Amino acid sequence: MILELDCGNSFIKWRVLESDQAKASAEGVVGSDLVLIERLAALPGLSLTHCRLVSVRASEETSKLVEALRGAFGVTVSCAAPAREMAGVRNGYQDFERLGLDRWLAMLGGFKLASGACLVLDFGTAATADFVAADGEHLGGFICPGMPLMRNQLRTHTRKIRYDDAAAELALERLSPGRTTAEAVERGCTLMLRGFVLTQLELARSYWGDDFTVFLTGGDADLVLGVIPQARLVPDLVFVGLAMACPLS
């Protein structure tokens, strides 16, 4: 069995594969290392032979998680590392090691699935866009606050903005002008994300016309899917790249 982990700024996304080519037999999202270990230990018949992970966390945090996994399951852990070039994609950052590993792996996965130019849009804690040309050249990208950051900043810095997650979910049932604070904030932030998407599409078309593939990934990707119905929604795009960066053979 193979354990794959995507350790983001806020959550750890995990899945267990029976083999390198199999679909996930178990998966989930947790908020801490401890909960991850508990969830995995509770899986019936779990017998891990390999683990690979990508982390955007501090090296100390990542090392603690690696040690915890080794101690709990006796498994060797492979961690994705920065690269100037891999699988036909050339890192476009001036300092390639500064590009977020989650973005890098999503690009690898997108380029493989597209077999050509692609725009990779990831909607997590931050919203990111990356442009990969048909020859594999990464042209660069953009980063802006994602839905969690926008929402939390408004809640933190505006005294009268207070509402719970249930109200937030109800607010997103439509996008008409809000008649409550929750509706106004949730719908306003969603429209900002959609505007971000439209500007990225415009730029991609200036590069490649209509000859490119758009990938949507990340926990809030469904909020923008209606803007680009032709896009490919690939929730596990980072894991596609992770398998390329950390092959088992």
Side-chain angles (χ1 to χ4, degrees):
M1 292 181 173
I2 304 163
L3 172 64
E4 296 185 326
L5 302 174
D6 177 5
C7 306
N9 293 298
S10 303
F11 299 100
I12 301 173
K13 186 175 182 180
W14 64 272
R15 69 179 189 177
V16 175
L17 311 177
E18 295 294 332
S19 69
D20 208 16
Q21 303 300 320
K23 292 185 178 180
S25 59
E27 58 188 340
V29 179
V30 296
S32 70
D33 298 359
L34 178 61
V35 175
L36 173 66
I37 299 296
E38 291 175 348
R39 294 281 175 84
L40 292 172
L43 293 176
L46 183 72
S47 179
L48 296 177
T49 55
H50 300 87
C51 174
R52 53 193 173 204
L53 68 79
V54 55
S55 176
V56 298
R57 301 180 171 193
S59 57
E60 287 186 4
E61 290 182 88
T62 304
S63 296
K64 287 180 180 178
L65 174 58
V66 169
E67 289 305 315
L69 291 167
R70 288 172 178 163
F73 306 107
V75 66
T76 300
V77 182
S78 299
C79 299
R84 189 175 299 280
E85 183 171 353
M86 182 177 290
V89 180
R90 296 183 298 283
N91 194 316
Y93 260 31
Q94 293 178 352
D95 180 356
F96 74 92
E97 294 182 331
R98 299 288 293 176
L99 176 66
L101 280 171
D102 52 347
R103 289 171 61 195
W104 175 238
L105 296 187
M107 282 189 283
L108 295 182
F111 188 70
K112 176 184 179 181
L113 296 178
S115 298
C118 59
L119 168 61
V120 179
L121 299 170
D122 191 338
F123 297 93
T125 303
T128 64
D130 283 288
F131 299 77
V132 183
D135 64 356
E137 184 71 26
H138 173 220
L139 304 181
F142 297 96
I143 304 173
C144 72
M147 194 71 170
L149 282 178
M150 288 192 285
R151 178 190 295 127
N152 290 341
Q153 284 296 303
L154 285 169
R155 284 177 171 176
T156 300
H157 296 288
T158 308
R159 291 183 179 180
K160 292 187 177 181
I161 293 182
R162 298 288 185 272
Y163 57 90
D164 58 23
D165 292 340
E169 187 173 347
L170 286 173
L172 288 174
E173 290 182 350
R174 60 183 61 87
L175 288 177
S176 56
R179 297 173 66 87
T180 66
T181 298
E183 290 176 354
V185 170
E186 294 296 315
R187 295 174 188 178
C189 291
T190 298
L191 290 175
M192 288 190 73
L193 286 184
R194 292 187 169 200
F196 175 76
V197 168
L198 291 174
T199 60
Q200 307 314 303
L201 282 174
E202 183 179 350
L203 183 55
R205 290 190 179 112
S206 75
Y207 288 145
W208 308 309
D210 291 322
D211 192 16
F212 65 97
T213 303
V214 182
F215 291 98
L216 298 178
T217 192
D220 287 322
D222 59 320
L223 294 178
V224 302
L225 186 58
V227 179
I228 35 175
Q230 76 275 21
R232 294 180 61 177
L233 179 62
V234 186
D236 294 330
L237 190 60
V238 169
F239 284 142
V240 176
L242 180 59
M244 300 163 68
C246 299
L248 299 181
S249 57

